[in-house]
Amino acid sequence: MDVEKDFNDILDDIVLSEDAQEKASYNEGYKAGSEAGNAEGFHLGYHRGAQLGSELGHYLGTVKLLLETNETSETKYPDRIINQLLKIEELINAFPQTNSEEHDILKMAETIRAHYKKAYFLQMDTKISKLKQNLDSIISFLTPLLPLANAHMVEFFTESHWDKLLPYNLKCYLEDRDLNDAINEFWDAGYNKNETEITNWVQLARSHCLTVDNDFCLSAQGLEELIKSRGGCMHYQIKVTEFMTSKKSYEVQTMSPYVASWHGMAGTTHCVEAGGGKGNLLVALSLGYQIPSLTVDCDERTLRNGEKRLRIIQKQWHAIAKKINETSEEKVTKNINYDLHKFATAYITKNTDLSEVVCKQFDCDNANLLLTGLHTCGNLGPDSLRIFTSCPAVGALFNVPCCYHLLTEAVDGGLFDGFEREHSSVVDSGFPMSEHLRGFNLGSNARMLAGQSIDRVIAYRQLPIRSLLYRAKLQKIIKNQTPPLSIP
């Protein structure tokens, strides 16, 4: 039996009906919001958990790799670094594998990050100290020999460098030897155990060389392992023999998979090639690996020719490009995107805003860049390093420099490029970049000599061409016959 409402209750229902409706709507909305919020919260928590797990997995993988490398390497890490690495491993192993209300997960993660950063800086400090010691040793050995390193070969005749610059014991030994015997002894000095002036000289010089030891210099295999240890994967090679010289084709085929793999590992959005000319390297990156790529060069005419050449390559890409696997070659079958490779004219310096150039070319608001370069000439190599350290938009760098003799060098407060002195800031010099080497000068001929491959010279047993002898004789005749100049 229904209970009759009092007249006053009926009036209250009428007056308060709006409030009652708001309350009912609030309760209904709260219920629906809670259910939807729980789902969104679950997905958010799931992704954040996966992200944290990936971060900790990276830390643990790096720590294990360093510990394993230390076991097999001849040079060991100091105890303070090993203890720090073991502490990180212990903290990660103690991290809860499931959701736990008994642990402050965020605080534990911050603690692990802090210990990882400390281990990184301890490791870097050790490497930097060791590198400085090696540099000091090289400088001590090289300084008295710089006049010889900067001597032109012709000047051995015209300026009597044989008598003035050659170390006395080595000079006497060579003068007593047959020329062909001395040359053969030099070729074999790298593995000849007989102690002679030549072999001792070569072995002493080689003891100051930096070798591939996974410390300062990584081998190709070491680089691949580094990429994989940081969550990346190695790409296959792309072989293009048409529209390139055999030398350039080999360089692009060898370098492009490393750049593409570095790009994937670093999570960058675009690749920028400094001084790219016709864009040989980025052709492989954009067409072979589908990476948005920008070729930047100061020569507008070269870039225009590069654009025309690119359109021809794009039309024939599937016919001329091959994917190189470990044991076979096969044609590239992926559809290509014709808009992934752009060209831009700019003279790159350390102050160039590459992100602005990329965003303009690709019509985007922001970009995370991988800066690369194949044969970055002269100061372009050092300036690429400076851009990487100063520009937040450049998240990764992969550079193969060349033309060391075209570097500007700090000399007496100015710059010297081997031909003329430039009045500029010492900070802008191509050599040296290191504060530790500030004030040390190599010289133009020594930098040019540093760009030569001594391994290739020895492998092919390459002697200087005979025309140098004729040039030296001509220069000697001219010098002897030219009357002295009177300067007022």
Side-chain angles (χ1 to χ4, degrees):
M1 181 177 179
D2 295 334
V3 178
E4 293 185 5
K5 286 189 176 183
D6 183 83
F7 178 73
N8 292 323
D9 293 335
I10 295 175
L11 289 178
D12 288 340
D13 290 343
I14 295 173
V15 174
L16 300 175
S17 60
E18 185 176 353
D19 291 340
Q21 184 64 37
E22 288 182 358
K23 185 175 182 180
S25 299
Y26 171 81
N27 290 334
E28 182 180 353
Y30 180 81
K31 180 180 179 182
S34 297
E35 293 175 354
N38 285 339
E40 292 180 4
F42 172 80
H43 288 296
L44 179 62
Y46 177 83
H47 289 297
R48 289 289 186 269
Q51 187 178 21
L52 179 59
S54 176
E55 179 185 357
L56 297 182
H58 167 68
Y59 293 160
L60 184 60
T62 303
V63 167
K64 286 184 176 294
L65 178 63
L66 292 174
L67 290 173
E68 291 174 1
T69 302
N70 186 70
E71 289 292 330
T72 58
S73 176
E74 294 181 1
T75 57
K76 305 295 184 182
Y77 286 125
D79 290 341
R80 65 181 187 278
I81 294 181
I82 296 299
N83 293 335
Q84 189 67 22
L85 293 175
L86 292 174
K87 180 65 176 179
I88 297 170
E89 185 178 31
E90 178 185 347
L91 289 172
I92 294 177
N93 289 333
F95 196 87
Q97 302 296 312
T98 58
N99 192 22
S100 172
E101 296 182 359
E102 298 178 358
H103 299 86
D104 188 341
I105 294 178
L106 296 180
K107 184 176 181 180
M108 295 177 69
E110 283 298 324
T111 301
I112 293 173
R113 291 190 188 103
H115 280 279
Y116 185 81
K117 289 180 180 179
K118 182 178 179 181
Y120 173 80
F121 286 116
L122 285 175
Q123 181 190 8
M124 287 302 297
D125 183 62
T126 300
K127 283 190 175 183
I128 290 173
S129 298
K130 184 179 178 182
L131 180 58
K132 287 181 178 179
Q133 292 175 1
N134 286 349
L135 287 174
D136 290 338
S137 176
I138 293 172
I139 290 173
S140 298
F141 170 73
L142 189 59
T143 297
L145 298 172
L146 280 178
L148 179 62
N150 279 292
H152 193 282
M153 197 174 303
V154 170
E155 294 172 345
F156 273 80
F157 297 92
T158 60
E159 301 295 335
S160 302
H161 282 344
W162 180 270
D163 297 317
K164 296 177 182 178
L165 299 182
L166 214 62
Y168 179 76
N169 290 340
L170 180 62
K171 172 179 171 293
C172 294
Y173 181 80
L174 290 173
E175 289 177 343
D176 291 338
R177 299 285 290 170
D178 177 76
L179 175 62
N180 291 326
D181 291 342
I183 291 173
N184 290 328
E185 189 176 329
F186 172 77
W187 296 136
D188 299 335
Y191 52 85
N192 191 341
K193 295 183 179 180
N194 297 328
E195 290 193 10
T196 68
E197 284 297 326
I198 293 179
T199 57
N200 290 340
W201 170 262
V202 172
Q203 294 293 351
L204 178 61
R206 289 186 65 180
S207 68
H208 292 87
C209 294
L210 296 180
T211 57
V212 177
D213 57 3
N214 291 325
D215 197 354
F216 303 130
C217 305
L218 281 175
S219 63
Q221 182 181 358
L223 178 57
E224 293 176 10
E225 292 175 355
L226 175 63
I227 292 173
K228 293 176 182 178
S229 70
R230 296 188 177 182
C233 62
M234 279 304 302
H235 285 275
Y236 49 79
Q237 290 187 342
I238 296 291
K239 182 179 181 179
V240 182
T241 55
E242 287 76 8
F243 304 103
M244 299 182 194
T245 64
S246 58
K247 176 177 179 290
K248 185 63 66 175
S249 174
Y250 168 77
E251 292 171 343
V252 170
Q253 177 182 335
T254 303
M255 182 175 173
S256 59
Y258 288 105
V259 178
S261 302
W262 203 257
H263 161 79
M265 181 202 70
T268 51
T269 59
H270 300 76
C271 282
V272 177
E273 183 181 15
K278 296 179 181 179
N280 290 306
L281 175 61
L282 297 197
V283 163
L285 293 179
S286 61
L287 300 181
Y289 305 106
Q290 309 296 303
I291 298 174
S293 303
L294 177 68
T295 296
V296 181
D297 199 278
C298 62
D299 188 342
E300 185 173 358
R301 182 178 178 181
T302 299
L303 291 181
R304 299 294 79 82
N305 291 334
E307 289 177 332
K308 296 177 183 178
R309 176 174 167 275
L310 174 62
R311 287 193 288 269
I312 297 174
I313 293 176
Q314 287 173 336
K315 293 178 181 178
Q316 304 185 40
W317 180 251
H318 293 304
I320 65 175
K322 295 180 180 179
K323 183 170 65 174
I324 309 299
N325 295 314
E326 293 182 359
T327 57
S328 63
E329 298 182 4
E330 58 183 87
K331 289 186 177 181
V332 177
T333 57
K334 288 184 178 179
N335 294 326
I336 64 175
N337 187 332
Y338 292 91
D339 297 323
L340 289 182
H341 193 166
K342 308 285 187 179
F343 292 84
T345 306
Y347 185 85
I348 296 178
T349 69
K350 66 172 186 176
N351 299 316
T352 303
D353 188 352
L354 292 176
S355 61
E356 181 180 349
V357 179
V358 169
C359 290
K360 180 179 179 181
Q361 292 293 325
F362 286 91
D363 192 22
C364 57
D365 295 329
N366 53 66
N368 183 16
L369 310 179
L370 184 152
L371 178 58
T372 186
L374 178 56
H375 300 316
T376 48
C377 188
N379 274 20
L380 185 56
D383 282 340
S384 296
L385 297 177
R386 291 187 174 105
I387 291 174
F388 172 65
T389 58
S390 62
C391 181
V394 180
L397 176 77
F398 198 112
N399 187 38
V400 177
C402 75
C403 302
Y404 300 108
H405 60 293
L406 294 180
L407 291 172
T408 56
E409 184 171 1
V411 178
D412 298 330
L415 295 182
F416 187 66
D417 63 1
F419 302 98
E420 60 180 341
R421 205 176 286 270
E422 301 176 3
H423 296 287
S424 181
S425 171
V426 177
V427 179
D428 294 335
S429 64
F431 178 87
M433 294 187 68
S434 167
E435 287 291 340
H436 187 69
L437 291 179
R438 194 68 67 199
F440 177 75
N441 301 124
L442 268 178
S444 177
N445 282 351
R447 294 198 308 272
M448 187 180 296
L449 190 62
Q452 305 302 312
S453 172
I454 186 62
D455 292 325
R456 182 177 60 213
V457 170
I458 293 176
Y460 292 101
R461 302 200 168 197
Q462 297 172 333
L463 290 174
I465 57 177
R466 184 177 292 272
S467 61
L468 277 175
L469 176 61
Y470 303 147
R471 182 184 183 280
K473 287 184 175 181
L474 176 61
Q475 188 166 329
K476 185 72 173 177
I477 293 172
I478 293 174
K479 182 178 180 180
N480 291 340
Q481 298 299 321
T482 301
L485 298 177
S486 58
I487 300 175

